Amino acid sequence: MNSISHSLKSKLFLASLFLILSTTFASAQIDEAPDDVNDEPTVPIDGFVITGLVAGSLLGIRKLRKSENA
């Protein structure tokens, strides 16, 4: 039973990772607007998104491991 839940957790983790990375790559595509558009310059969201995702993942894994040991 424990190996089944571990297998399910790993599949869920990989599926979540795939979805997060696929949306990141999809939104990173360059959209070239025509030259006659007077838009305000956009502000890119840089490294803090990735840092937050990594920190959240590590905290989540840590909490899962603590709950398994308890």
Side-chain angles (χ1 to χ4, degrees):
M1 179 76 178
N2 192 12
S3 64
I4 294 173
S5 64
H6 178 67
S7 174
L8 181 62
K9 286 180 186 178
S10 64
K11 287 180 184 177
L12 202 66
F13 174 75
L14 289 174
S16 300
L17 185 67
F18 174 74
L19 288 174
I20 290 170
L21 290 178
S22 65
T23 56
T24 302
F25 292 136
S27 66
Q29 301 300 320
I30 297 173
D31 182 25
E32 295 184 20
D35 291 333
D36 61 346
V37 176
N38 293 329
D39 284 340
E40 295 288 323
T42 58
V43 179
I45 300 175
D46 287 334
F48 288 114
V49 172
I50 301 297
T51 305
L53 289 173
V54 169
S57 298
L58 291 175
L59 288 173
I61 291 170
R62 182 176 160 197
K63 187 171 183 176
L64 281 174
R65 287 186 180 169
K66 281 186 177 181
S67 68
E68 287 177 356
N69 291 336

